[in-house]
Structure formats: structure tokens, C-alpha cells
Amino acid sequence: MRTTVAIVNKQGADFCLEEVELEGPRADEVLVRIVATGLCHTDIHLKGFLPAEMFPNVFGHEGAGVVEEVGADVTGIAVGDHVVLSFRSCRTCANCLRGLVGYCESSLVLNYLGLRLDGSTTYRRDGSPVFGSFFGQSSLSQHAIAYADNCVVVDKALDLTRVAPYGCGFQTGAGTVLNVLEPTSEDSLVVYGAGAVGLAALAAARHLGTGTLVAVDPIASRREAAERFGAVSLDPTEVPVVDRVRELTGGGASYAIDTTAVSDVVRQAQQSLRTCGTLVALGLGAEEYSLDAIDLLQSGKTVRSSVEGDSDPQLMVPRLIAMNAAGEFPVDDLVTTYPFAAINDAVRDAGAGTVVKPVLVW
Ligand SMILES: NC(=O)c1ccc[n+]([C@@H]2O[C@H](COP(=O)([O-])OP(=O)(O)OC[C@H]3O[C@@H](n4cnc5c(N)ncnc54)[C@H](O)[C@@H]3O)[C@@H](O)[C@H]2O)c1
Ligand SMILES: [Zn+2]
Ligand SMILES: [Zn+2]
């Protein structure tokens, strides 16, 4: 079939709306008419970072839409179902069987290589292949090919423009708190970078009743958003953040999350921790981080990463939707919708920090 995609023709180029050919669904695939797709910092980073030979490419990994066709081997998904699309996992390897689907042994080939497992592409233009299958969806498109493992069926009454980001950004921030850190009222959490991921983490931490919440971000509107989630906010251009976090948390935070991927900030996040505290580094973009080795050695601190907040989207997306319905995960206002034709404006506004989570709508 013909469909319109927001394609990136060259490494680092802007998005262009173009018509391409979409092949499928094959027996294990699902054809989804996309209603809305969130833009994640990861789309923007990778369109400038993937090797030149991986273009043209169709990104997008926070799709939400309506199932139009279901392959013969797919179970549990029906035509007409509303779905939130997330990342892929094989569901059969050792990590998947332990519930750690973000660490699937086939994660790279299922999510990042731009191809189906047999080397074919779902999209073609003028007979030539176009890289796609990004997170098993490439949903910056009017139609996407997805899979049973990354389609989460949701209530038809939900506004798909609000739940699209649950597939990655919101799930990652919230999952880091709900799955990895599990703070209690005795604990404190500092979040460096109050964007979509960081604010979702704060929302989840407030839901758990975390004792003290601190957010660090140079952008005033993001600090204000963090305060609405109950955090004390700090401007790193104005205050010595490590000292202030230590004061606010009575000697150091139990937990820290970095979403900036800035090496100096990751180091500050480590230094903000109390003895035996844990830092989760979520940001993508740095080649290397420099940690404070003396502090690490003496303090029993843990520095770790997390893929998608250690979430299984089939569990986390419904959990966050239920929390949101109960008023416990109030992230709807973080979304700003744009028509797909304005996708480059959405990238610019997200980069400037004037919006938190742009969601493209057909
Ligand atoms: N680990 C995962 O599975 C996963 C999943 C989704 C996104 N990500 C990554 O998480 C990161 C955050 O994504 P996002 O969509 O929230 O991006 P974002 O750009 O909305 O948020 C980053 C925030 O960091 C702030 N910041 C920049 N410099 C800072 C500094 N010196 N001190 C404090 N804050 C600073 C920015 O102002 C911004 O608000 C990205 O790197 C993204 O690629 C990782
Ligand atoms: Zn993402
Ligand atoms: Zn697996």
C-alpha cells in the first residue's frame, strides 16, 4: 500500500513528508493506522548519529493507532483494536523469560537495524529500500507495521494523543522509579533533566509518596513543571547544585536519575547521593562519562543504567494508564500536539525546551 511517512533522507537532515510503499503485514505482523506519535529525544539523536549508510530512514517509536490488519499467526490483537506501540523483544530468550524484556538478547536486531529479521525493509521508495522497523514500528508514518510483542491493546475511550508517549518516554521515567528504585517515604530522589523522562519519573515518585523530590534543569518552564509534581527545583546555572541537593536531602539523596547525558552532570548526580545511594543514568548521547572514583570507592554507591525503566510495556503501559485515570500520574499537560506537517517545528520547540513532549497527529 502507499502511505505517507516523515522520512529522514540523510544523516542529520530535517524530516520530509513523502509517500512511500509499505509492504505487509506478514503472518507475524500487524498493520496499524497511526493516529499520533510522540517524538522522543532518541529519535532526534539517532537521526543525526546513525551511520550515513542507514539512510533514508523512518524513525518514530511512540506510536498509537488503530489496527487495520492482523497477520495469520498473530493472536490477542484484532482489527479495530486501539494500540500503543512500544519497543520489541523476542519473549523467548533468557532475559525475556525473566521479565527483563528491555534487555532481550535480540534487542539490537529487533529495534535498531532498520530491517526485518530476514533483511527486508517494510518501506520502499521508487523500488529502493528505506530503513524502517525502528523499535518494530517506525511510526512517524500514517501506517506502521508492528508486532504482537510491541502492540499494547488499550481502551478505545482513551485519547491516543495523550497515551502515545507511554510507549517510551513516560514509561522510561516512571519505570525507573516504579521498577528499579522503588523509593519510600523515607527516601529522597533528585532528577537531573526535567524533560519528558525526568518529569515522568517525578510523577511516579510522588505517586509512591517519596519523601523529598528535587529537580535540576536550566529551563524555567521545566522547573515549574517539576514543582507541580512536588519537587523542589534548582537552576544549575544559578546555584551549586550538589551542595543544595545535600542540604535539601539531609546529607545526600537516596536516589538520583540523570536524563541529560552530560558527563559533568552525571558526575554531579553521583556526588549528590548519600552513602549507598543509587544513580540511574538514562540519557543517550554521551560517548563517555567521568565518575568520581574516590567517592565511588568510599561510599558504596551504585551507578547503573536502565533500558525503558526495566519495563515490560505489556505491564507498564496499562499500569500507567490506570494510575493516570486515578489522578496519580498527571502527565497529560506535558503533551503538545502538532500536525505531522509541522514535525520540524516540533523538533525545534523540543530542543529549545518550549514544549516537553511533542506529539505528532495526522
Ligand atoms: N534509557 C532509555 O531507555 C531511554 C528511553 C527514552 C529516552 N532516553 C533518553 O533520555 C534522555 C531524556 O529524554 P527526554 O525526552 O526527557 O529529553 P529532554 O530533552 O526533554 O530532557 C532533557 C532535559 O535535560 C535538561 N538539561 C540539559 N542540560 C542540563 C544540565 N546541565 N543540568 C540539568 N539539566 C539539564 C534539559 O533542559 C532538558 O529539560 C535522552 O537522552 C533520551 O535519548 C533513554
Ligand atoms: Zn524513546
Ligand atoms: Zn528476548
Side-chain angles (χ1 to χ4, degrees):
M1 70 180 289
R2 305 283 295 169
T3 195
T4 301
V5 294
I7 196 168
V8 181
N9 281 312
K10 280 200 313 205
Q11 187 192 57
D14 282 351
F15 292 100
C16 297
L17 288 194
E18 288 185 27
E19 259 202 19
V20 297
E21 197 64 34
L22 178 63
E23 191 256 342
R26 294 184 177 178
D28 61 339
E29 295 177 343
V30 177
L31 175 68
V32 180
R33 176 176 62 78
I34 297 296
V35 172
T37 307
L39 208 52
C40 174
H41 185 88
T42 303
D43 296 304
I44 299 164
H45 175 70
L46 289 181
K47 89 180 175 71
F49 179 79
L50 288 182
E53 52 274 21
M54 279 190 71
F55 292 86
N57 204 320
V58 180
F59 295 97
H61 62 287
E62 292 184 350
V66 181
V67 174
E68 285 202 335
E69 276 183 59
V70 176
D73 297 345
V74 174
T75 53
I77 298 172
V79 171
D81 279 350
H82 289 202
V83 287
V84 169
L85 305 182
S86 190
F87 63 91
R88 287 209 70 190
S89 56
C90 78
R91 305 253 161 204
T92 56
C93 73
N95 288 343
C96 282
L97 292 176
R98 287 166 63 208
L100 296 171
V101 295
Y103 309 95
C104 172
E105 289 164 15
S106 302
S107 182
L108 183 71
V109 289
L110 291 174
N111 292 292
Y112 294 105
L113 294 192
L115 309 166
R116 291 188 176 105
L117 288 180
D118 70 353
S120 67
T121 61
T122 57
Y123 295 116
R124 295 182 82 79
R125 184 179 56 188
D126 303 329
S128 300
V130 170
F131 288 94
S133 299
F134 188 58
F135 281 57
Q137 52 179 289
S138 286
S139 53
L140 290 172
S141 172
Q142 218 155 11
H143 293 87
I145 294 293
Y147 298 82
D149 56 83
N150 72 331
C151 283
V152 183
V153 178
V154 299
D155 190 330
K156 288 183 180 145
L158 287 169
D159 178 354
L160 292 174
T161 66
R162 301 293 137 174
V163 293
Y166 286 40
C168 180
F170 290 171
Q171 161 172 267
T172 298
T176 300
V177 169
L178 299 174
N179 294 323
V180 180
L181 299 176
E182 299 184 274
T184 70
S185 59
E186 306 290 303
D187 291 317
S188 48
L189 168 70
V190 55
V191 172
Y192 283 82
V197 174
L199 291 168
L202 291 170
R206 189 171 63 168
H207 161 72
L208 293 183
T210 309
T212 304
L213 299 178
V214 184
V216 183
D217 202 296
I219 299 175
S221 59
R222 301 207 165 179
R223 293 197 301 276
E224 283 156 22
E227 285 170 11
R228 289 198 292 279
F229 292 119
V232 177
S233 77
L234 303 176
D235 179 351
T237 65
E238 294 282 332
V239 295
V241 282
V242 174
D243 291 347
R244 279 296 287 144
V245 172
R246 289 212 184 110
E247 276 167 34
L248 289 163
T249 57
S254 327
Y255 301 118
I257 294 175
D258 175 75
T259 75
T260 70
V262 176
S263 183
D264 284 350
V265 178
V266 170
R267 191 183 175 93
Q268 287 172 349
Q270 177 205 340
Q271 291 168 335
S272 304
L273 290 172
R274 73 175 186 203
T275 302
C276 297
T278 298
L279 160 65
V280 186
L282 293 175
L284 175 74
E287 294 263 313
E288 291 183 346
Y289 290 134
S290 129
L291 299 175
D292 180 338
I294 305 278
D295 169 68
L296 203 59
L297 194 68
Q298 291 175 339
S299 64
K301 293 177 184 177
T302 301
V303 179
R304 61 160 289 182
S305 67
S306 175
V307 174
E308 300 278 335
D310 288 14
S311 304
D312 178 343
Q314 300 292 349
L315 303 175
M316 186 54 70
V317 172
R319 181 173 176 187
L320 295 179
I321 288 170
M323 279 166 55
N324 179 266
E328 288 285 297
F329 188 61
V331 292
D332 294 12
D333 291 348
L334 303 182
V335 166
T336 304
T337 56
Y338 291 79
F340 259 86
I343 184 168
N344 293 310
D345 297 340
V347 173
R348 180 200 60 211
D349 294 349
T354 52
V355 300
V356 174
K357 173 55 75 178
V359 172
L360 288 312
V361 183
W362 288 107

